[in-house]
Amino acid sequence: MCDNPDGPGVADGGGTIVAVRLDGAVVVITGAGSGVGRSTAQECARRGARVVVFDRDGDRAAATAATIGDAAVAVTGDVTSTADLEAARDAALTRFGPVDVVMNNVAVLDVGRVEDIPLEAWQRAIEINLLSIVRSNLVFLPDLLARGSGHVVNTASTAGLLPYGQDRLPYTTTKHAVVGLTEALFLQLRPQGVGVSLFCPAGMRTNIVEQMTFHGERTTPKGPAFAIVEPEFAAGLVCDAIETDRFLVLTDDSVPAEMRALADDPDAYLRRSLDGTGADR
Ligand SMILES: NC(=O)c1ccc[n+]([C@@H]2O[C@H](COP(=O)([O-])OP(=O)(O)OC[C@H]3O[C@@H](n4cnc5c(N)ncnc54)[C@H](O)[C@@H]3O)[C@@H](O)[C@H]2O)c1
């Protein structure tokens, strides 16, 4: 059970339980065998959380859990399997107690021209990038809602906020869907005491290239060039967002200006993007 006798929630000014203290919380992170999932698992543990490290690569999940020690358990599973996500929930319950925080963090990228990306690649991207979150919601949210506390982090991308990923259409499309889903979840869950964060990193130094499948001729994305950050830095931002009940998590400060420029004049923004630039800055 949770060591924290008061539960992980922190009351806000209105008395609603919204923010989660990671000290004593039980956290499940998908794709935690590598990259930002791994760094977030480690940062959560550093802040006193117990962590379920979920990854389809069992060796990597075990390796991440080993860096944390007794405060982590590795679960080998695929985000496209409801049974595997239930196994993560049950492992948390058995080892640590009910789940307080879920980070849905897995995605694949299909790169190529629209005519070269087969339907099957789209279906796989929708399964892994989008429906995995729907599955996770069905597995984890009933308990969070019953307890009226907790936090969900969905990893999207700046490619879900801005139109620059034209060479990776299934990724761009599903990440935009994750943005919409997560905004709607915020509106639905927060009044019931469950916080929601939308994590939209730009570039991070991870193993993401392993999740890429190239179709046909190589193409290059057009748009703004964002800073590439270390996953440890991004993990700190995610953990801060959980503990302060912050919705949008960005890794590059220039993204809001790009979003404003897009909203101000989408036509002009897209035309500038054809030239390889985003906002006038
Ligand atoms: N790295 C970047 O520049 C960047 C930028 C924007 C968004 N993101 C997003 O960050 C998230 C994490 O990516 P990362 O960069 O840390 O990548 P990564 O490749 O380093 O880590 C991804 C992990 O997910 C696991 N995984 C893949 N498919 C899985 C499945 N079906 N079920 C369970 N586990 C699975 C892999 O084994 C791997 O350990 C993704 O959603 C990605 O879209 C990354």
Side-chain angles (χ1 to χ4, degrees):
M1 293 298 291
C2 190
D3 287 342
N4 180 351
D6 300 321
V10 179
D12 73 2
T16 317
I17 308 292
V18 284
V20 164
R21 283 196 296 264
L22 284 168
D23 191 9
V26 177
V27 180
V28 175
I29 302 177
T30 68
S34 172
V36 75
R38 175 183 161 95
S39 296
T40 307
Q42 292 167 333
E43 181 60 22
C44 285
R46 209 167 289 127
R47 296 185 188 204
R50 278 76 53 79
V51 190
V52 176
V53 176
F54 183 95
D55 204 290
R56 75 172 172 193
D57 184 326
D59 291 342
R60 278 190 174 166
T64 299
T67 66
I68 295 172
D70 288 346
V73 61
V75 173
T76 307
D78 198 297
V79 291
T80 62
S81 161
T82 299
D84 288 357
L85 292 167
E86 286 171 345
R89 180 197 59 196
D90 296 346
L93 202 56
T94 307
R95 276 287 292 272
F96 306 130
V99 174
D100 300 300
V101 178
V102 182
M103 180 175 182
N104 299 303
N105 178 57
V106 170
V108 290
L109 287 93
D110 290 276
V111 182
R113 296 179 194 281
V114 63
E115 62 272 29
D116 291 330
I117 299 177
L119 183 63
E120 294 71 27
W122 280 89
Q123 288 167 328
R124 178 170 157 269
I126 291 167
E127 267 300 325
I128 294 175
N129 301 3
L130 178 61
L131 292 182
S132 65
I133 301 180
V134 175
R135 283 199 171 81
S136 165
N137 289 341
L138 291 169
V139 169
F140 292 105
L141 285 184
D143 189 48
L144 297 190
L145 289 170
R147 289 189 289 131
S149 68
H151 202 94
V152 177
V153 180
N154 291 337
T155 303
S157 167
T158 47
L161 298 170
L162 295 164
Y164 66 84
Q166 94 291 346
D167 68 327
R168 50 201 65 188
L169 283 175
Y171 184 78
T172 304
T173 305
T174 51
K175 291 297 189 180
H176 273 76
V178 172
V179 170
L181 169 65
T182 310
E183 287 170 346
L185 275 177
F186 176 91
L187 296 175
Q188 200 178 120
L189 301 188
R190 198 177 186 282
Q192 301 179 73
V194 177
V196 177
S197 294
L198 173 66
F199 175 39
C200 288
M204 297 183 292
R205 264 179 219 95
T206 67
N207 294 312
I208 190 77
V209 71
E210 292 175 8
Q211 315 306 324
M212 293 171 110
T213 305
F214 294 91
H215 305 270
E217 223 176 89
R218 290 293 283 268
T219 56
T220 315
K222 290 180 186 297
F226 292 122
I228 296 175
V229 302
E230 300 304 327
E232 294 80 7
F233 169 76
L237 299 178
V238 170
C239 289
D240 289 349
I242 294 168
E243 295 199 298
T244 59
D245 185 34
R246 191 181 159 90
F247 179 69
L248 183 59
V249 184
L250 300 167
T251 59
D252 187 312
D253 291 344
S254 66
V255 171
E258 296 286 341
M259 293 170 72
R260 278 192 294 274
L262 172 65
D264 281 350
D265 192 342
D267 267 72
Y269 189 93
L270 284 166
R271 283 176 211 287
R272 277 200 300 275
S273 294
L274 287 175
D275 305 329
T277 58
D280 286 330
R281 63 187 163 92

